[in-house]
Amino acid sequence: MTNHTPTEMMTIAAARALKNDDVCFVGIGAPSAACNLARLTHAPQITLIYESGTLATRPNVLPLSIGDGELCDTALTTVSVPEMFRYWLQGGRITVGFLGGAQIDRFANLNTTVVGPYDAPQVRLPGGGGAPEIATNCGEIFITMAQSPRSFVGELEFITSMGHGRTGRERRAMGVKTKGPSRLMTDLCVFEPDDDTKEMTVVSIHPGVTREKIAENTGWPVRYASNVGETPPPTAQELEVLRDIQARTKKAHGGSR
């Protein structure tokens, strides 16, 4: 078994979900690391799109934000934000949206707006940006985020980006045609939605992780698939490529990332 951190396992598991022919709308942070790892390993022809309007970008370092010049410098072309959302996203031309969040519930709804009551929040978060539109217009949604009781909560006080709705039925009831969240990769395991209820269900557990640890870090009673597998550990190549782009990013940004 390779020597790796839980975060590296999460990023690599997330990267493996992507295919060579995907057109992927990429979120900043953990989703960006996973998408670029996929591009540098098993999916060299994947098309990565960022919210700032950069199409088919191939960054040499991980961007700090959607406005990072690296994205524009390495893109096939850059379009306006209205064109990005109206023509590309709402036009159904993007197969996968890759998102993260501050909080998530059992039906993969995401909160990136506030913690606590909206009118008097304990914490004001960065907000949704384009995530609400990404969540409903991409063919399907992959989510990656670290798992803890603070982030995996029993009930969200605010839904920024809809997963399958508060009861798992709202997405279909509203007539949204896209699949919604189809995979959730954490530093402990991999979830997929139950076919009927749409509740996120553990399908794979990372090496060395127990069901007890998953339960301790989840704010709802965890459901498991009938056949739960063990996530294959990172390969030497996956770790080498991931660590290389992270090192180049840290050097380029003076240690800021």
Side-chain angles (χ1 to χ4, degrees), residues 58-214:
R58 306 178 69 82
N60 295 306
V61 298
L62 299 177
L64 292 179
S65 71
I66 60 169
D68 196 316
E70 177 72 14
L71 294 175
C72 191
D73 289 345
T74 60
L76 176 65
T77 188
T78 301
V79 301
S80 68
V81 172
E83 179 179 332
M84 168 60 63
F85 280 85
R86 182 65 188 95
Y87 180 80
W88 292 95
L89 181 59
Q90 295 176 350
R93 294 173 171 83
I94 300 177
T95 61
V96 178
F98 220 128
L99 299 174
Q103 292 182 323
I104 190 169
D105 67 12
R106 71 184 69 200
F107 296 110
N109 302 296
L110 292 169
N111 175 23
T112 55
T113 304
V114 293
V115 176
Y118 183 81
D119 293 333
Q122 300 167 12
V123 180
R124 178 76 67 180
L125 299 168
E133 288 76 25
I134 295 169
T136 54
N137 287 283
C138 290
E140 62 183 318
I141 298 297
F142 296 158
I143 300 169
T144 184
M145 51 191 291
Q147 194 166 342
S148 75
R150 293 181 63 185
S151 58
F152 281 58
V153 298
E155 183 175 358
L156 294 178
E157 293 184 274
F158 191 95
I159 294 178
T160 309
S161 304
M162 185 174 68
H164 296 288
R166 287 199 180 274
T167 68
R169 299 186 294 269
E170 286 79 0
R171 188 181 189 94
R172 287 173 288 186
M174 292 172 64
V176 179
K177 302 299 184 183
T178 52
K179 289 175 63 175
S182 59
R183 197 168 298 181
L184 165 61
M185 284 73 58
T186 81
D187 50 350
L188 302 179
C189 59
V190 177
F191 293 83
E192 292 181 0
D194 178 83
D195 288 340
D196 295 323
T197 68
K198 298 304 178 183
E199 182 174 342
M200 301 308 287
T201 304
V202 175
V203 298
S204 177
I205 299 176
H206 299 337
V209 176
T210 64
R211 293 193 178 200
E212 290 74 20
K213 187 170 185 179
I214 294 172

Side-chain angles (χ1 to χ4, degrees), residues 19-26 45-49 55-57:
K19 304 185 298 294
N20 199 48
D21 59 353
D22 274 328
V23 179
C24 184
F25 208 126
V26 188
Q45 300 305 314
I46 190 171
T47 301
L48 301 185
I49 296 176
L55 297 173
T57 188

